Amino acid sequence: MPPGVVITSASQPTITCYYSLLPKPTRFSGHQTIEDTKLSETGKRYYIMKTNALIIFSLLGAATASAQGFKADFANGKFPAGITVEDCDGFEVPSLCYKNGRTSDGWTVATVGTGTYAAVSPSHSHDEGGQNNRMNIEEVTVEEGAVISWTARSVFSDFPDTYRIEALVEGSEKPVTVFKGRAEEVFTPHAVTLEKYAGKKVRFSFVCTSENGYLLAIKDIFIGVPEKPVLSLVDKTRRFSGNGENVEVTGTVFNSGLETTVEKVVLKVSSKEVASKTINETVKSAESFDFAIDLPVELNKKTKYTVEIIGSDGSVLASASSAAIASHFERNHFVDEGTGVWCNNCPEGMLALQQLKRDYPDQIVIATDHANDDLTNSDYWSGLKFFAVPYFMLNRRDDTKYSQTTNFENGLWRPTPVKIDLAKDEENVNVTVTTSEDIDNSNDRYRIGYVITGDFYQTEDDAAYMQKNSCNMPRHEAYYFLPNILPAHLSKYHNVNLDGEGYFDGIPNSIPADIAPGEATESFVIPCDGLEANEVWSNLRINAYVLDTTNGEILNSASIRLDEPAPEPEIPDLPDGPDGPDGPDGPDGPDSVNEVSASSTPLLRISGRDLLLSGSEETFVEIFYADGQRVAAGNFHERTVVPESVSGPVIIRATSRNATSVIKAAF
């Protein structure tokens, strides 16, 4: 079935919302729009008109401003003294789109996650243009060695938020931007050095600049000279590695505190050191470094380990614990998710899947299967034999079926004897299978199956695509803030099962009768000509897998995208001018090289005039001269070339969805 065609079925089984007493799916009648929810001139309507009023909060909450700097953590649920907020755009924030977190003042304080208070800025609006919601911090005198540090996140990952930090120096009429970025989907620490402002009185402002975002969250604000190192460790190790005696443990360490010396990185198993790597580097505030160290493992056996960052005095500056396994081949797990637009509790299942994707980045292949709604693929759904939603199954193993992903643990560490690779040309996706041992497939036991999935986003507020939501606790993350019925324009449905072949029994004779170990065998061709994105379908993928037909288990899977991702929107900035983005003091000038975060990773390397980009996702590359003039920019995959017209010292900034790297070079 080509994308854009809605699959429906007149005879679907009755599927109940898990933990719910609903005897049958609840449906909505009529065509509800946001405009229909506005009430009369009495002022009792579902829109809150923002104002430009300056709301001053004094003697509320905990904040300190002293020689040690300004601190604000919002821990008691209120704005601390020294912070004021204002809304300077006048855009409407529809109350229909918020159950919690809405305000007409630009910013408020709310619980984000379990027991975590943060300043939040609602940013979802139908008005065109970026927000200008300002959280202003009282004037401080910047000392030598001072930094500004904070932690930020986009609460609703489907609608990411952008923001900037401005500095208004005493005597200046216009602020300058000291940081701009896109907040990630988890709280991430950041820091920027304030060397250029030493000795000056400065007023800093956090400005939500999102255009059609949802909710920006900021906490742990500090301005001053750090008293101690504050190191954050992000472990980026692939949990399922290929054949070998070692697993490469990789990560990024970021310092948002006092300058410190890192002596080494240590790996421990059962509290015993098994490997180490000497670093012996000074890590300044707002700087990061990457590491890679081999973990000795036993083939096909899960190994739990701890990474420790050791200081020059032998103290542990940061640590993280996880696990990894080396199999004959890397493994991508296939997850079936059962859900429904009508299901009140399905958002809680969506959160479980989001966490699984964070725990196993790039190693989870998903087919989201809708029950009894307009996104249902009835042939696939009937084969799943799910009796409720939300529901999950890992690699088609019956012992993993459950309303959460808690039954996945053992299956996530099962080794695999096969590898499947996909390669796309203009008309087809070619499937290649490799095995670790001799396989007699003369009885056609092993077969290929595949599913075509896509992301569905309907901007019109059609009642058929309005997700129900009964998540009312802060632990429910974004769904705590989202309304009990999400308007369709807030309901993005990911990995929706569209079509495919050999769903559960595989395609006969799709794998050769004999496969020699270690030899890649082209076994099947999947036609993809004509599968194109449109106004409602994007992120089209072919997800193929190797089936063992004796028990229906998926031994390994792979996924390949058929359409190009949309470019990330530019982050709004100050107007052009002496302090604007192209001016010598602007955010795109040489002082922007300190834009670093805990998740930063070296996205690029230089070889001659070639810029080599790490990872497979699209990366936005910008090149600036030292005076701040931007001379080249564009979105690229893997590699690009610096234009011959660029010569002399430059600053190169690479920005992907999850990280930013800035380096200096000369051509």
Side-chain angles (χ1 to χ4, degrees), residues 210-456:
S210 310
E211 183 171 359
N212 198 36
Y214 187 73
L215 195 68
L216 172 67
I218 302 288
K219 65 174 185 173
D220 303 328
I221 298 173
F222 172 76
I223 304 170
V225 179
E227 298 178 346
K228 60 181 180 180
V230 181
L231 268 61
S232 304
L233 169 59
V234 179
D235 185 351
K236 300 179 178 180
T237 306
R238 291 181 67 83
R239 304 296 162 221
F240 227 109
S241 299
N243 192 7
E245 298 178 351
N246 299 298
V247 168
E248 186 179 54
V249 175
T250 62
T252 295
V253 178
F254 173 72
N255 184 16
S256 58
L258 186 67
E259 176 182 307
T260 189
T261 298
V262 173
E263 179 184 343
K264 61 182 178 178
V265 178
V266 170
L267 289 181
K268 291 184 176 181
V269 175
S270 300
S271 301
K272 296 181 180 180
E273 182 176 324
V274 296
S276 66
K277 184 172 185 178
T278 301
I279 303 296
N280 197 24
E281 289 185 9
T282 298
V283 185
K284 297 180 180 179
S285 183
E287 286 188 347
S288 66
F289 70 90
D290 298 302
F291 67 86
I293 182 171
D294 286 338
L295 170 70
V297 296
E298 183 179 338
L299 188 65
N300 293 334
K301 182 179 179 181
K302 175 184 175 182
T303 301
K304 296 181 180 180
Y305 66 87
T306 298
V307 185
E308 293 183 348
I309 309 302
I310 308 299
S312 57
D313 61 355
S315 62
V316 178
L317 300 174
S319 65
S321 297
S322 190
I325 186 173
S327 177
H328 288 288
F329 302 112
E330 291 193 11
R331 181 165 196 167
N332 293 317
H333 293 287
F334 191 92
V335 176
D336 279 302
E337 176 196 16
T339 190
V341 170
W342 49 271
C343 171
N344 283 291
N345 295 312
C346 282
E348 191 161 7
M350 297 171 189
L351 290 173
L353 193 58
Q354 288 176 14
Q355 185 59 53
L356 187 69
K357 290 167 64 178
R358 285 195 288 265
D359 292 341
Y360 294 84
D362 303 321
Q363 293 191 291
I364 299 292
V365 176
I366 302 166
T368 297
D369 314 300
H370 282 250
N372 288 13
D373 64 32
D374 286 349
L375 296 175
T376 300
N377 178 342
S378 55
D379 290 339
Y380 196 101
W381 178 258
S382 61
L384 284 175
K385 297 180 175 59
F386 285 176
F387 65 89
V389 292
Y391 224 64
F392 297 93
M393 180 167 54
L394 179 70
N395 296 324
R396 301 276 174 77
R397 290 178 55 89
D398 284 340
D399 59 353
T400 67
K401 287 183 178 180
Y402 194 51
S403 62
Q404 288 282 331
T405 59
T406 50
N407 283 0
F408 284 9
E409 180 59 23
N410 291 333
L412 286 168
W413 300 103
R414 288 172 62 87
T416 179
V418 302
K419 181 175 70 166
I420 179 170
D421 295 298
L422 306 180
K424 181 180 178 297
D425 57 31
E426 292 183 0
E427 297 182 352
N428 301 305
V429 169
N430 299 303
V431 183
T432 301
V433 174
T434 310
T435 69
S436 59
E437 55 193 44
D438 282 311
I439 289 183
D440 178 6
N441 197 36
S442 58
N443 60 355
D444 203 22
R445 172 179 174 177
Y446 302 102
R447 297 178 176 180
I448 300 292
Y450 71 91
V451 180
I452 301 171
T453 61
D455 292 350
F456 180 85

Side-chain angles (χ1 to χ4, degrees), residues 512-551:
D514 290 307
I515 305 178
E519 293 185 5
T521 303
E522 276 200 19
S523 56
F524 198 70
V525 174
I526 302 173
C528 62
D529 188 32
L531 294 173
E532 297 179 355
N534 55 37
E535 64 276 7
V536 295
W537 290 102
S538 62
N539 194 25
L540 300 175
R541 292 183 174 274
I542 286 182
N543 311 284
Y545 40 85
V546 177
L547 275 169
D548 183 346
T549 59
T550 61
N551 56 16

Side-chain angles (χ1 to χ4, degrees), residues 386-647:
F386 285 176
F387 65 89
V389 292
Y391 224 64
F392 297 93
M393 180 167 54
L394 179 70
N395 296 324
R396 301 276 174 77
R397 290 178 55 89
D398 284 340
D399 59 353
T400 67
K401 287 183 178 180
Y402 194 51
S403 62
Q404 288 282 331
T405 59
T406 50
N407 283 0
F408 284 9
E409 180 59 23
N410 291 333
L412 286 168
W413 300 103
R414 288 172 62 87
T416 179
V418 302
K419 181 175 70 166
I420 179 170
D421 295 298
L422 306 180
K424 181 180 178 297
D425 57 31
E426 292 183 0
E427 297 182 352
N428 301 305
V429 169
N430 299 303
V431 183
T432 301
V433 174
T434 310
T435 69
S436 59
E437 55 193 44
D438 282 311
I439 289 183
D440 178 6
N441 197 36
S442 58
N443 60 355
D444 203 22
R445 172 179 174 177
Y446 302 102
R447 297 178 176 180
I448 300 292
Y450 71 91
V451 180
I452 301 171
T453 61
D455 292 350
F456 180 85
Y457 179 43
Q458 173 64 269
T459 57
E460 298 294 329
D461 279 314
D462 188 333
Y465 305 111
M466 298 171 69
Q467 177 67 53
K468 297 190 73 174
N469 169 37
S470 64
C471 296
N472 294 309
M473 302 295 290
R475 64 180 176 83
H476 292 132
E477 301 287 344
Y479 292 96
Y480 169 69
F481 297 94
L482 288 160
N484 292 331
I485 300 175
L486 277 63
H489 76 273
L490 274 176
S491 304
K492 291 189 176 182
Y493 300 101
H494 299 284
N495 312 298
V496 178
N497 187 329
L498 287 169
D499 198 8
E501 189 177 358
Y503 294 145
F504 299 97
D505 297 326
I507 302 168
N509 303 311
S510 51
I511 295 179
D514 290 307
I515 305 178
E519 293 185 5
T521 303
E522 276 200 19
S523 56
F524 198 70
V525 174
I526 302 173
C528 62
D529 188 32
L531 294 173
E532 297 179 355
N534 55 37
E535 64 276 7
V536 295
W537 290 102
S538 62
N539 194 25
L540 300 175
R541 292 183 174 274
I542 286 182
N543 311 284
Y545 40 85
V546 177
L547 275 169
D548 183 346
T549 59
T550 61
N551 56 16
E553 182 178 353
I554 291 176
L555 302 180
N556 210 340
S557 59
S559 180
I560 190 167
R561 184 162 181 164
L562 302 179
D563 60 333
E564 292 295 326
E568 292 281 3
E570 278 205 34
I571 300 170
D573 212 322
L574 296 173
D576 289 341
D579 298 322
D582 294 325
D585 296 322
D588 292 334
D591 293 310
S592 287
V593 297
N594 56 12
E595 294 182 11
V596 186
S597 74
S599 63
S600 294
T601 184
L603 295 174
L604 60 89
R605 295 183 296 108
I606 298 177
S607 177
R609 299 188 76 89
D610 289 349
L611 302 183
L612 308 177
L613 307 172
S614 65
S616 59
E617 66 180 76
E618 188 172 60
T619 303
F620 183 58
V621 177
E622 302 166 280
I623 303 176
F624 306 91
Y625 283 140
D627 62 0
Q629 178 188 1
R630 190 169 74 173
V631 292
N635 290 296
F636 303 97
H637 290 277
E638 296 183 354
R639 176 183 178 274
T640 186
V641 179
V642 177
E644 292 294 335
S645 58
V646 176
S647 62

Side-chain angles (χ1 to χ4, degrees), residues 144-161:
E144 290 285 345
V147 303
I148 180 170
S149 61
W150 69 99
T151 306
R153 70 169 289 190
S154 293
V155 175
F156 191 14
S157 58
D158 278 340
F159 291 86
D161 283 276

Side-chain angles (χ1 to χ4, degrees), residues 91-104:
F91 292 160
E92 292 180 320
V93 176
S95 63
L96 179 69
C97 298
Y98 290 87
K99 181 167 51 187
N100 295 295
R102 190 194 69 232
T103 178
S104 60

